[in-house]
């Protein structure tokens, strides 16, 4: 939980498919972005995550890491600081996103 309000949401893959169809029907060219949170049991403790991320950001700043080098630097720093647990979380995020994408694709295919 990033503590950021979500301005719009859908509750099912069928609802997400309906948003995609509405975008297409309106002739819009923008992407539909689905934010799919990791399962709570797979997440890092929010306080630990914030503490480790703050330290990683400070380290990146101190070392002058900028631009496209920032993300790999942060990911590596956080992975080491969490003894690999953050990598397990990222894999869980990936798997959850793949599963959701498959369900949305199925919903889109079912109604075409």
């Amino acid at each position: 939980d990033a503590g950021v309000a979500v301005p719009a949401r859908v509750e099912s893959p069928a609802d997400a498919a309906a948003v995609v169809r509405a975008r297409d029907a309106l002739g819009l060219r923008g992407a539909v972005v689905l934010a799919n949170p990791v399962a709570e049991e797979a997440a890092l403790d929010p306080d630990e995550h914030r503490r480790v991320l703050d330290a990683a950001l400070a380290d990146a700043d101190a070392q002058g890491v900028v631009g496209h080098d920032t993300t790999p630097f942060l990911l590596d720093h956080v992975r080491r600081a969490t003894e690999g647990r953050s990598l397990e979380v990222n894999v869980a995020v990936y798997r959850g996103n793949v599963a959701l994408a498959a369900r949305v694709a199925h919903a889109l295919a079912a109604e075409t």
Side-chain angles (χ1 to χ4, degrees), residues 11-77:
E11 297 300 327
S12 71
D15 290 346
V19 170
V20 171
R21 279 192 201 85
R23 182 223 33 211
D24 293 348
L26 292 169
L28 301 175
R29 297 178 44 124
V32 174
V33 177
L34 297 178
N36 186 27
V38 68
E40 190 173 328
E41 65 272 6
L44 285 176
D45 173 74
D47 293 332
E48 177 187 17
H49 181 261
R50 173 51 52 198
R51 187 173 54 256
V52 169
L53 181 57
D54 286 346
L57 289 166
D59 195 19
D61 186 50
Q63 293 188 39
V65 177
V66 296
H68 72 280
D69 294 329
T70 304
T71 298
F73 179 91
L74 295 176
L75 288 171
D76 183 59
H77 189 288

